[in-house]
Amino acid sequence: MDVERITEELYGLKPGDFVAARDGYVAQARAAKDPAAAKAIAALRRPATAAWAANRLARERPREAERFLALGETLREAHRTLDAERLRAASREQHQLVAALARTAAELAGEAGQPVSDTVVREIEQTLHGVLAHGDVADRWAKGRLVKVPEAAVGFPAIDPDADPPPPPPARAAPRPAPNPDLAKARAAAAEATAEVARCEREFDSAERSRQAAAAKAEEAAGRVTRLETDLAEARRNRTEAEGAASRAATALTTAERALARSRRAADRATRTAEALEGQAS
């Protein structure tokens, strides 16, 4: 199976349609005896609403996306080199584009039948700041395959374009500082914090998989409820029609019974008259 094509298709769907479509392709891959494709597709994660809206922006507005990606490269390079002039110009453009593109993403989501709240719009803005700050996030966004809202950019905040630019780098390297006796402790604390982040990420992934499974079951249950409600409505209509037919049949039966009684009385009278006439004739 063409995993790349399927991945592209899945991340173009609305979040609510993702799980069922993904699981359907997993089943197809297993039926086709393609375990590698089944494993790769099953590993695809349902995108958060804000990430999906940002992905849709990249897919539907490629020119704006290309300009935004170029701005991110400029900002990251300006921060690395402390190029004051480029940093000032790029920061001003950053302020204008993030807000405008977040609104565009919200509009595109609404057009796709997935209106978003103000909270999600803020998450879209955070996502776009992450695209500017991190090259790996930018790469996934360019393909329209972001899964979650990136953490708020640390060390790469939104910059006030009217603020003074950072000072230029020194002409010569600063002298090496004296060894810090607390460095070992700081490194140990940093390693511990990194391990805690990894643990939290594993817990988040596990919780996300559980949530996706629960969402899939909820969607299936909702479908069953809809089908049962439709069947119940049809049964009620059939019962109403049957009760009406029974009522009409009962009325017809009563009318027929009365007509039969009248015809029997008429027959009796005719018989008696005939017998009387026969008696007179004899």
Side-chain angles (χ1 to χ4, degrees):
M1 297 183 68
D2 189 342
V3 175
E4 178 65 21
R5 179 191 63 78
I6 292 170
T7 301
E8 181 71 13
E9 176 188 333
L10 289 176
Y11 282 107
L13 299 175
K14 291 188 293 186
D17 299 333
F18 183 92
V19 173
R22 179 199 62 194
D23 293 349
Y25 277 122
V26 171
Q28 290 182 30
R30 289 171 177 165
K33 307 299 184 183
D34 191 345
K39 182 177 180 180
I41 296 169
L44 298 176
R45 292 172 54 191
R46 175 182 184 273
T49 301
W52 168 80
N55 288 340
R56 187 169 179 80
L57 173 67
R59 290 167 177 264
E60 298 293 325
R61 296 289 190 273
R63 290 185 180 179
E64 289 89 336
E66 183 177 355
R67 176 185 174 190
F68 194 68
L69 290 168
L71 173 62
E73 293 178 359
T74 299
L75 274 168
R76 292 192 295 274
E77 179 64 21
H79 270 270
R80 283 193 296 269
T81 62
L82 294 180
D83 187 326
E85 195 61 33
R86 291 178 66 192
L87 189 59
R88 184 189 293 266
S91 298
R92 182 177 294 108
E93 190 175 4
Q94 171 192 7
H95 279 271
Q96 296 169 350
L97 276 181
V98 166
L101 290 180
R103 288 193 299 270
T104 300
E107 292 170 0
L108 291 172
E111 292 173 1
Q114 184 82 34
V116 297
S117 64
D118 291 341
T119 299
V120 173
V121 173
R122 288 192 291 273
E123 291 178 346
I124 296 172
E125 292 179 350
Q126 180 174 326
T127 300
L128 294 176
H129 280 298
V131 170
L132 293 177
H134 305 293
D136 57 336
V137 177
D139 291 341
R140 290 194 298 274
W141 180 70
K143 296 177 180 178
R145 297 181 186 179
L146 284 177
V147 171
K148 61 183 179 179
V149 176
E151 296 293 332
V154 177
F156 196 82
I159 306 164
D160 182 356
D162 297 322
D164 292 334
R172 291 182 295 180
R176 184 184 299 274
N180 189 335
D182 295 328
L183 180 58
K185 291 182 180 180
R187 286 178 173 173
E192 182 178 352
T194 300
E196 177 66 12
V197 168
R199 184 187 66 80
C200 291
E201 287 179 344
R202 289 193 298 272
E203 291 182 355
F204 175 86
D205 290 341
S206 177
E208 176 66 10
R209 288 193 295 270
S210 298
R211 186 196 62 75
Q212 290 177 356
K217 290 182 179 179
E219 290 176 3
E220 181 182 356
R224 291 181 61 193
V225 167
T226 299
R227 291 191 297 272
L228 290 172
E229 288 177 342
T230 301
D231 292 343
L232 177 59
E234 180 66 20
R236 285 174 172 169
R237 285 194 297 271
N238 292 339
R239 184 187 66 182
T240 300
E241 292 174 358
E243 288 174 346
S247 176
R248 292 189 296 273
T251 300
L253 177 62
T254 299
T255 301
E257 287 176 342
R258 291 173 180 172
L260 177 60
R262 288 194 300 269
S263 64
R264 283 175 176 172
R265 288 194 296 271
D268 288 343
R269 287 193 299 270
T271 300
R272 287 194 297 273
T273 299
E275 289 176 349
L277 292 172
E278 287 177 358
Q280 293 173 4
S282 61

